[in-house]
Short mmCIF file of all heavy atoms in Angstrom, two decimals:
data_model
loop_
_atom_site.label_atom_id
_atom_site.label_comp_id
_atom_site.label_asym_id
_atom_site.label_seq_id
_atom_site.Cartn_x
_atom_site.Cartn_y
_atom_site.Cartn_z
N PRO A 81 0.84 -1.20 0.00
CA PRO A 81 0.00 0.00 0.00
C PRO A 81 0.87 1.25 0.00
O PRO A 81 1.87 1.33 0.70
CB PRO A 81 -0.80 -0.12 1.31
CG PRO A 81 -0.80 -1.59 1.60
CD PRO A 81 0.52 -2.11 1.10
N ALA A 82 0.48 2.23 -0.80
CA ALA A 82 1.29 3.44 -0.95
C ALA A 82 0.70 4.60 -0.16
O ALA A 82 -0.50 4.63 0.12
CB ALA A 82 1.37 3.81 -2.42
N PRO A 83 1.51 5.56 0.22
CA PRO A 83 0.98 6.74 0.90
C PRO A 83 0.11 7.54 -0.06
O PRO A 83 0.14 7.35 -1.27
CB PRO A 83 2.26 7.53 1.27
CG PRO A 83 3.30 7.04 0.32
CD PRO A 83 2.97 5.60 0.06
N ALA A 84 -0.66 8.47 0.50
CA ALA A 84 -1.63 9.22 -0.31
C ALA A 84 -0.97 9.97 -1.46
O ALA A 84 -1.57 10.14 -2.51
CB ALA A 84 -2.40 10.19 0.58
N ALA A 85 0.26 10.44 -1.26
CA ALA A 85 0.92 11.26 -2.28
C ALA A 85 1.80 10.42 -3.20
O ALA A 85 2.73 10.93 -3.79
CB ALA A 85 1.74 12.35 -1.61
N GLU A 86 1.50 9.14 -3.32
CA GLU A 86 2.31 8.25 -4.15
C GLU A 86 2.37 8.74 -5.59
O GLU A 86 1.37 9.15 -6.16
CB GLU A 86 1.71 6.85 -4.13
CG GLU A 86 2.41 5.88 -5.06
CD GLU A 86 1.62 4.60 -5.28
OE1 GLU A 86 0.48 4.52 -4.79
OE2 GLU A 86 2.15 3.71 -5.95
N VAL A 87 3.56 8.70 -6.15
CA VAL A 87 3.74 9.01 -7.57
C VAL A 87 4.27 7.77 -8.26
O VAL A 87 5.30 7.23 -7.89
CB VAL A 87 4.72 10.19 -7.77
CG1 VAL A 87 4.95 10.42 -9.27
CG2 VAL A 87 4.18 11.46 -7.13
N TYR A 88 3.54 7.31 -9.26
CA TYR A 88 3.92 6.14 -10.05
C TYR A 88 4.79 6.61 -11.20
O TYR A 88 4.48 7.58 -11.90
CB TYR A 88 2.65 5.48 -10.58
CG TYR A 88 2.85 4.42 -11.66
CD1 TYR A 88 3.04 3.09 -11.31
CD2 TYR A 88 2.81 4.77 -13.01
CE1 TYR A 88 3.20 2.13 -12.29
CE2 TYR A 88 2.97 3.81 -13.99
CZ TYR A 88 3.17 2.48 -13.62
OH TYR A 88 3.32 1.53 -14.60
N ARG A 89 5.92 5.93 -11.41
CA ARG A 89 6.81 6.27 -12.51
C ARG A 89 7.12 5.02 -13.32
O ARG A 89 7.44 3.97 -12.76
CB ARG A 89 8.11 6.90 -11.99
CG ARG A 89 7.88 8.18 -11.22
CD ARG A 89 9.17 8.90 -10.86
NE ARG A 89 8.90 10.04 -9.98
CZ ARG A 89 8.46 11.21 -10.40
NH1 ARG A 89 8.24 11.42 -11.68
NH2 ARG A 89 8.24 12.19 -9.54
N ASN A 90 7.02 5.15 -14.61
CA ASN A 90 7.26 4.04 -15.53
C ASN A 90 7.79 4.65 -16.82
O ASN A 90 7.03 5.22 -17.59
CB ASN A 90 5.97 3.26 -15.76
CG ASN A 90 6.18 2.03 -16.62
OD1 ASN A 90 7.31 1.65 -16.93
ND2 ASN A 90 5.08 1.40 -17.02
N GLY A 91 9.10 4.51 -17.06
CA GLY A 91 9.69 5.17 -18.22
C GLY A 91 9.46 6.67 -18.11
O GLY A 91 9.73 7.28 -17.07
N GLY A 92 8.93 7.29 -19.15
CA GLY A 92 8.65 8.72 -19.13
C GLY A 92 7.28 9.06 -18.59
O GLY A 92 6.90 10.24 -18.52
N LEU A 93 6.51 8.04 -18.18
CA LEU A 93 5.15 8.25 -17.68
C LEU A 93 5.15 8.40 -16.16
O LEU A 93 5.82 7.65 -15.45
CB LEU A 93 4.28 7.05 -18.07
CG LEU A 93 2.79 7.11 -17.70
CD1 LEU A 93 2.09 8.19 -18.49
CD2 LEU A 93 2.14 5.74 -17.97
N ALA A 94 4.41 9.38 -15.66
CA ALA A 94 4.28 9.59 -14.22
C ALA A 94 2.81 9.86 -13.89
O ALA A 94 2.13 10.58 -14.61
CB ALA A 94 5.15 10.74 -13.75
N ILE A 95 2.35 9.27 -12.78
CA ILE A 95 0.97 9.47 -12.32
C ILE A 95 1.02 9.86 -10.85
O ILE A 95 1.53 9.09 -10.02
CB ILE A 95 0.12 8.20 -12.47
CG1 ILE A 95 0.18 7.65 -13.90
CG2 ILE A 95 -1.32 8.48 -12.06
CD1 ILE A 95 -0.44 6.27 -14.04
N ASP A 96 0.53 11.02 -10.52
CA ASP A 96 0.39 11.44 -9.13
C ASP A 96 -1.00 11.02 -8.68
O ASP A 96 -2.00 11.65 -9.03
CB ASP A 96 0.57 12.95 -9.00
CG ASP A 96 0.62 13.42 -7.55
OD1 ASP A 96 -0.12 12.83 -6.73
OD2 ASP A 96 1.38 14.33 -7.25
N PHE A 97 -1.06 9.93 -7.91
CA PHE A 97 -2.36 9.39 -7.52
C PHE A 97 -3.10 10.30 -6.55
O PHE A 97 -4.32 10.19 -6.39
CB PHE A 97 -2.19 7.99 -6.89
CG PHE A 97 -1.80 6.94 -7.88
CD1 PHE A 97 -0.62 6.22 -7.72
CD2 PHE A 97 -2.60 6.64 -8.97
CE1 PHE A 97 -0.25 5.24 -8.63
CE2 PHE A 97 -2.25 5.67 -9.88
CZ PHE A 97 -1.07 4.95 -9.72
N ASP A 98 -2.38 11.20 -5.89
CA ASP A 98 -3.02 12.10 -4.94
C ASP A 98 -3.75 13.23 -5.67
O ASP A 98 -4.90 13.56 -5.36
CB ASP A 98 -1.96 12.68 -3.99
CG ASP A 98 -2.58 13.48 -2.86
OD1 ASP A 98 -3.66 13.08 -2.38
OD2 ASP A 98 -2.00 14.49 -2.45
N SER A 99 -3.09 13.80 -6.68
CA SER A 99 -3.68 14.94 -7.40
C SER A 99 -4.34 14.54 -8.72
O SER A 99 -4.95 15.38 -9.38
CB SER A 99 -2.59 15.98 -7.70
OG SER A 99 -1.60 15.44 -8.57
N HIS A 100 -4.18 13.25 -9.11
CA HIS A 100 -4.73 12.75 -10.38
C HIS A 100 -4.08 13.45 -11.59
O HIS A 100 -4.72 13.57 -12.63
CB HIS A 100 -6.25 12.91 -10.44
CG HIS A 100 -6.99 11.99 -9.52
ND1 HIS A 100 -8.32 11.69 -9.66
CD2 HIS A 100 -6.59 11.31 -8.42
CE1 HIS A 100 -8.70 10.86 -8.70
NE2 HIS A 100 -7.65 10.63 -7.93
N VAL A 101 -2.85 13.86 -11.43
CA VAL A 101 -2.13 14.50 -12.53
C VAL A 101 -1.24 13.48 -13.22
O VAL A 101 -0.48 12.75 -12.57
CB VAL A 101 -1.27 15.68 -12.02
CG1 VAL A 101 -0.37 16.21 -13.14
CG2 VAL A 101 -2.17 16.80 -11.50
N VAL A 102 -1.33 13.42 -14.55
CA VAL A 102 -0.53 12.49 -15.36
C VAL A 102 0.40 13.30 -16.24
O VAL A 102 -0.02 14.29 -16.86
CB VAL A 102 -1.44 11.61 -16.24
CG1 VAL A 102 -0.60 10.68 -17.13
CG2 VAL A 102 -2.39 10.79 -15.37
N THR A 103 1.66 12.91 -16.28
CA THR A 103 2.62 13.58 -17.16
C THR A 103 3.37 12.54 -17.98
O THR A 103 3.55 11.41 -17.56
CB THR A 103 3.64 14.42 -16.37
OG1 THR A 103 4.36 13.57 -15.47
CG2 THR A 103 2.95 15.53 -15.60
N ARG A 104 3.79 12.97 -19.17
CA ARG A 104 4.65 12.14 -20.02
C ARG A 104 5.83 12.99 -20.44
O ARG A 104 5.65 14.04 -21.04
CB ARG A 104 3.89 11.63 -21.25
CG ARG A 104 4.62 10.47 -21.95
CD ARG A 104 4.03 10.16 -23.30
NE ARG A 104 4.53 11.11 -24.30
CZ ARG A 104 4.06 11.22 -25.53
NH1 ARG A 104 3.04 10.48 -25.92
NH2 ARG A 104 4.56 12.09 -26.38
N ASP A 105 7.01 12.52 -20.07
CA ASP A 105 8.25 13.26 -20.33
C ASP A 105 8.15 14.69 -19.79
O ASP A 105 8.62 15.65 -20.41
CB ASP A 105 8.55 13.29 -21.83
CG ASP A 105 8.77 11.88 -22.40
OD1 ASP A 105 9.28 11.02 -21.65
OD2 ASP A 105 8.43 11.66 -23.57
N GLY A 106 7.51 14.82 -18.63
CA GLY A 106 7.42 16.11 -17.95
C GLY A 106 6.27 16.98 -18.36
O GLY A 106 5.97 17.97 -17.68
N ALA A 107 5.58 16.66 -19.44
CA ALA A 107 4.45 17.47 -19.91
C ALA A 107 3.14 16.85 -19.43
O ALA A 107 2.95 15.63 -19.52
CB ALA A 107 4.47 17.55 -21.43
N GLU A 108 2.24 17.69 -18.92
CA GLU A 108 0.97 17.17 -18.41
C GLU A 108 0.11 16.60 -19.53
O GLU A 108 0.02 17.18 -20.61
CB GLU A 108 0.20 18.26 -17.68
CG GLU A 108 -1.07 17.74 -17.01
CD GLU A 108 -1.73 18.76 -16.09
OE1 GLU A 108 -1.11 19.82 -15.85
OE2 GLU A 108 -2.85 18.49 -15.63
#
């Protein structure tokens, strides 16, 4: 189980599960 502010990273993809913000290579 991850903390509320968990950020998932996979290659250039990132998902902030707390804010529901998704970025690819730094761009939202």
Side-chain angles (χ1 to χ4, degrees):
E86 175 194 5
V87 176
Y88 168 89
R89 300 187 187 280
N90 184 8
L93 183 67
I95 307 170
D96 188 323
F97 289 121
D98 188 36
S99 64
H100 290 199
V101 172
V102 177
T103 60
R104 196 192 80 190
D105 299 328
E108 186 171 351

